[in-house]
Structure formats: C-alpha cells, structure tokens
Amino acid sequence: MDNFLIEGGKSLRGTMAISGSKNAALPLMAAALLADGPVTITNVPLLNDIFTFNKVIGETGSQVLFDQYKRELAIDPTQMNNHVAPYDLVRKMRASFYMTGALLGAAGDARVSLPGGCAWGPRPVNLHLEGMRALGAKIEMDGGYVIAKAPNGRLPGGAFTMNPSSVGATVNLVLAAVRANGKSVIRNAAMEPDVVNLCDNLNTLGARISGAGTPVLTIDGVDSIKSGTMNNIPDRIETGTFMIAAAMVPGSDVTLTNTLESDLGSFTDTFRKLHVGLDIGDSTIRIRSADRVPPVSIETAIYPGFPTDLQAQWATMMTQAHGKSTVTDHIYPDRFSYVPELVRLGADIERRENTVIVRGRSELRGASVMSTDLRASVSLVMAGLVARDETEVLRIYHLDRGYEKLEDKLNAVGAAIHRVSG
Ligand code: EPZ
C-alpha cells in the first residue's frame, strides 16, 4: 500500500488543471450500455474507480477501450451477452450498482451484487429497488445479489417519489426508464450536475427526458438510444477541494483551469465568506489566500446546497480559522472518520453526533495519519500541507480512487509530497 510523505509549510502558487468528474463519468459509462452501437465518452479521469467500472462493464461482454492519453472511453455494447455484475467488483466500487438500471433498461434482465457499506456506515439501496419496482420491475434477492427482471423483457414505466432524494437512485431509475415501454415520473429527484449531465447526454442520443435539474423528472420511454458521443463535465468536488486548499495554505495564489463554476451550486457563495481573493473566469477560478481565515460554519444539503463531499475538506480548513466554527453533515451523519486523525495532528476538533465543533487556530504538527475514505484522505493531505514538519498519510489507495495524479498536481504548484510504495 502506498503512503504520502508531506513536508508542510509550502505555499501553493501556479496553475492546476481540473480533471473530468468521477461522479458524472460513472453514470455515462453505465448509460453507454443502453445504446444500439458504440458510444464514446470524453474527459474521463484516470482513476481507479473508472478502471474498476471498466472491468464491471467488460463482464457483460461489451467492449471497453480506454484511450488514457485522450481521456476518452469507447464502449460498444453490441456484443453484450451477460447481464451480471459480480460481487468481487461491485464491493470495490458501489456505483457499479448502476448496472442494475442499465441492464434492466438495455436487456430487461439484471443480476447485480448488492454493494457493501463504506467507511462511514451503511449505504442503503432501498430507494433504488423500490423505484425499479415502481417502474414495473420484478425484484428478488438471491445470495447477496439483486435479480431484476422486466416483464416481457421491457419495463412499462411508472411513477416514484423518493425520500430522501438520492443521487444514485435517480441515476439508476433514469437508466432503467429511458427505454421503457411507456412514461415514467420520478419525484424528489436529485438535481446534482452529475444527474443533469446524464440526462442531457442521453437526450442527445435520442432519449426523451424532461425536468433535469428540477425535482421532477419525466421520462418518455423510447425504442432505442443511438451511438454517439457523451461529454463528461469537470469534477466539481476536485474543484472545491483545491479551492479550499488554496484558501487555507498561507501565501497561496492558485488558478484552476478546465473548471465549470456554475456546477458548484451554493458552495461559491459560502466560499466568498472566507474573504480570500477569488476571480471567476469562463473556465478558470483563481484563489489567493488571505492573511486570516475567518470561522465559517456550514451544513451540508442536497444540491445546490453545500456538498457532503466537501465537508471534511472544509472542517480541515476551519482548524486554521481564527475562531470557532461548526460543520454539520445532514446527508451522512457519520462521515467524520477523519476527525481522530486531525486530532493526531494537533487540531482542536470534537464531534457531537452529526456535527463537529472546530476551534481554530490550531498549529498542526506532522504525524502519521490513516486514510479511511476518499474525501477524508484528501483532507489529511491538506492538513499535511499546513502542518509543521513531516506528515505521513497512510493507505492512499483511497485517494487514487477519486483524485487524478493528486501529488503531481500539488507538487507542480509548490507542495512537497513524496509517494512511498508500501
Ligand atoms: C453519491 O453517492 C456520490 N457517489 C457520493 O460521492 C456523494 O457523497 C453522494 O452522492 C451524496 O451527494 C457517486 O456519485 C458515485 P445518495 P450516493 O444516494 O448516490 C440515502 C464521493 O466521495 N439513501 O445521494 O450513494 C443515503 O443513505 C462519493 O465521491 C437511502 O436512504 O448517495 C444518504 O443519506 C461518496 N436509500 C442519502 O440518501 C437509498 O436507496 C443520499 O445518498 C439511497 C440513498
């Protein structure tokens, strides 16, 4: 297992290119299985989750070619002959569960392993299954697998109201509904850019989805989805991560390129409360750190609210704030595995149920800390950037799932991160 050794105290100055979105690419990859011929997906990041999902898609007999230089994926589902997503792959990457909707929509038949939980607790899929039943699927469980079948090979469509709103369940139901033999309506649907991008790309290839970006999605089933190209969007969570890093590391001046600031929702307005230098261009965002980081409390919410995927990063920055703040996660109340690790670095942060109270300004000192999940890991790296001496971040395979060439990008703007193969 690889680890990072980070020498703290270096300012970040220069340009960082944002990669394609992991969480928007995965739905597009599943959607490619619905097409009548080959589909090309652009701006695909080089991440372990993408490589894992390529294997999952390959299990169906579909052809997957990843041009890693051009960052383009070519998926050809015409030779699909197996409607199974096996446990040993699904357990590694829970978004593989999108195969349920994709295989139901493409073939009317799916045998997909239930995904496991994750570092911060159970990740239920009840909404996915209840929603598919509402669209007319017959759902049974067998040995940890979901067996989903469409009567007569094609779903009739239907209506479903989800509670709470779920990104994954919305994606899965869109995939199941686009080629249904009728109309489907999904209420309290997720409005994340990942969902909007999926719907827009499917419509380009012949789907008939309306209401993307609103709580009500209406899908008129079509007989076929054409071959063609689906365009991925920049990674808004990587963007927010690097914005926070630049704001919390003293003396920093960073320009992010290949960005889509409009996908950040209310995050930008919250970020402005930091009173750091912020210049937003068409596809660039420049951040200049200020002398002091003020305490700014946040609460996560579904899009366009503050993303749960940025709460660990924000809490880490608040350890450097001049005052007390709170970070509350309403989406994942247990997503605080990074807290004990920040305490090891000297942070004054304590958890009370789904809130952490952060008392800045802590002087962080280097230590060995443990990654537990993707966003917790990047937060420990960010803490290492400001900690005195050297910080060792263990088990950074979590990072490699969701941040493309993280140490290269940060070292190119002045950080001192060394990857040690464990
Ligand atoms: C997606 O996960 C993202 N993953 C997560 O990012 C992100 O944290 C999450 O959305 C919330 O924004 C991908 O896009 C691959 P949800 P997902 O279903 O779809 C509850 C990262 O770091 N729920 O929107 O699994 C659930 O418990 C990852 O990149 C049910 O109760 O999230 C949670 O409280 C981590 N039943 C809430 O909904 C269900 O059937 C939102 O979860 C499904 C979800």
Side-chain angles (χ1 to χ4, degrees):
M1 286 188 208
D2 288 0
N3 306 319
F4 274 167
L5 290 178
I6 305 168
E7 183 189 340
K10 311 278 187 185
S11 298
L12 305 177
R13 303 178 72 79
T15 298
M16 303 176 78
I18 297 299
S19 299
S21 166
K22 165 176 84 80
N23 291 350
L26 295 168
L28 298 181
M29 294 165 72
L33 297 180
L34 297 165
D36 291 345
V39 170
T40 297
I41 303 172
T42 66
N43 196 19
V44 179
L46 305 183
L47 298 171
N48 287 351
D49 273 9
I50 301 293
F51 297 126
T52 300
F53 205 24
N54 284 347
K55 289 180 188 161
V56 174
I57 291 172
E59 285 283 317
T60 67
S62 302
Q63 185 187 53
V64 182
L65 295 173
F66 192 6
D67 181 331
Q68 297 187 28
Y69 178 74
K70 290 170 66 178
R71 298 289 198 284
E72 285 190 358
L73 256 182
I75 296 174
D76 182 350
T78 51
Q79 304 306 312
M80 187 192 302
N81 58 16
N82 185 28
H83 306 147
V84 179
Y87 173 66
D88 66 309
L89 289 173
V90 175
R91 69 184 175 83
K92 288 178 187 156
M93 210 273 293
R94 50 176 287 103
S96 308
F97 200 61
Y98 293 159
M99 292 297 283
T100 316
L103 291 170
L104 258 183
D109 169 51
R111 179 182 173 82
V112 177
S113 168
L114 277 169
C118 68
W120 65 82
R123 301 280 295 278
V125 292
N126 60 303
L127 296 173
H128 299 241
L129 303 180
E130 289 161 24
M132 284 175 200
R133 285 195 180 97
L135 299 186
K138 186 167 178 296
I139 303 281
E140 294 179 324
M141 309 302 286
D142 176 29
Y145 279 74
V146 171
I147 315 298
K149 290 199 182 307
N152 312 314
R154 191 177 179 189
L155 290 179
F160 183 67
T161 300
M162 63 177 72
N163 181 22
S165 176
S166 156
V167 173
T170 303
V171 167
N172 238 338
L173 296 181
V174 166
L175 295 172
V178 285
R179 282 182 43 182
N181 188 20
K183 178 176 174 178
S184 299
V185 179
I186 305 168
R187 293 186 177 86
N188 200 24
M191 298 180 278
E192 270 72 0
D194 317 336
V195 173
V196 174
N197 186 54
L198 170 67
C199 295
D200 291 349
N201 275 289
L202 278 169
N203 283 343
T204 303
L205 301 187
R208 289 171 54 198
I209 307 167
S210 57
T214 78
V216 182
L217 280 179
T218 302
I219 302 157
D220 290 313
V222 295
D223 293 336
S224 74
I225 297 292
K226 303 191 299 286
S227 289
T229 297
M230 296 200 279
N231 296 310
N232 190 22
I233 50 179
D235 195 311
R236 62 193 172 95
I237 303 302
E238 184 189 29
T239 303
T241 299
F242 290 152
M243 288 171 72
I244 295 169
M248 70 180 274
V249 175
S252 293
D253 181 349
V254 171
T255 297
L256 305 179
T257 60
N258 302 342
T259 64
L260 186 56
E261 186 276 331
S262 57
D263 276 355
L264 295 176
S266 67
F267 174 78
T268 305
D269 290 340
T270 304
F271 190 82
R272 288 189 198 282
K273 294 177 184 173
L274 298 171
H275 302 303
V276 296
L278 181 63
D279 301 300
I280 296 170
D282 289 343
S283 63
T284 60
I285 299 174
R286 182 182 178 191
I287 306 97
R288 277 158 291 132
S289 58
D291 296 340
R292 296 164 62 95
V293 175
V296 175
S297 296
I298 62 106
E299 300 194 29
T300 69
I302 60 172
Y303 194 86
F306 191 101
T308 171
D309 290 353
L310 287 174
Q311 66 96 336
Q313 298 90 316
W314 193 271
T316 301
M317 173 172 61
M318 287 297 107
T319 68
Q320 303 306 296
H322 287 251
K324 177 178 150 186
S325 61
T326 58
V327 170
T328 299
D329 199 330
H330 295 294
I331 307 292
Y332 293 117
D334 290 327
R335 196 176 188 174
F336 296 103
S337 58
Y338 62 91
V339 170
E341 303 306 311
L342 288 181
V343 170
R344 284 181 51 76
L345 295 171
D348 182 348
I349 178 171
E350 63 174 302
R351 178 181 170 188
R352 289 192 193 146
E353 296 182 343
N354 67 327
T355 294
V356 286
I357 299 153
V358 193
R359 292 179 183 84
R361 177 173 183 285
S362 308
E363 186 189 28
L364 304 184
R365 302 286 303 266
S368 291
V369 288
M370 184 77 74
S371 301
T372 51
D373 66 82
L374 172 55
R375 308 304 175 183
S377 309
V378 79
S379 302
L380 298 177
V381 172
M382 293 160 70
L385 295 176
V386 297
R388 282 182 51 191
D389 309 326
E390 184 176 79
T391 297
E392 180 185 39
V393 182
L394 303 170
R395 297 186 181 174
I396 55 163
Y397 63 86
H398 290 289
L399 274 175
D400 295 335
R401 292 189 49 193
Y403 285 94
E404 180 179 318
K405 301 183 185 301
L406 180 69
E407 72 269 33
D408 296 346
K409 291 187 179 183
L410 286 169
N411 288 341
V413 294
I417 303 174
H418 179 55
R419 181 184 285 255
V420 177
S421 295

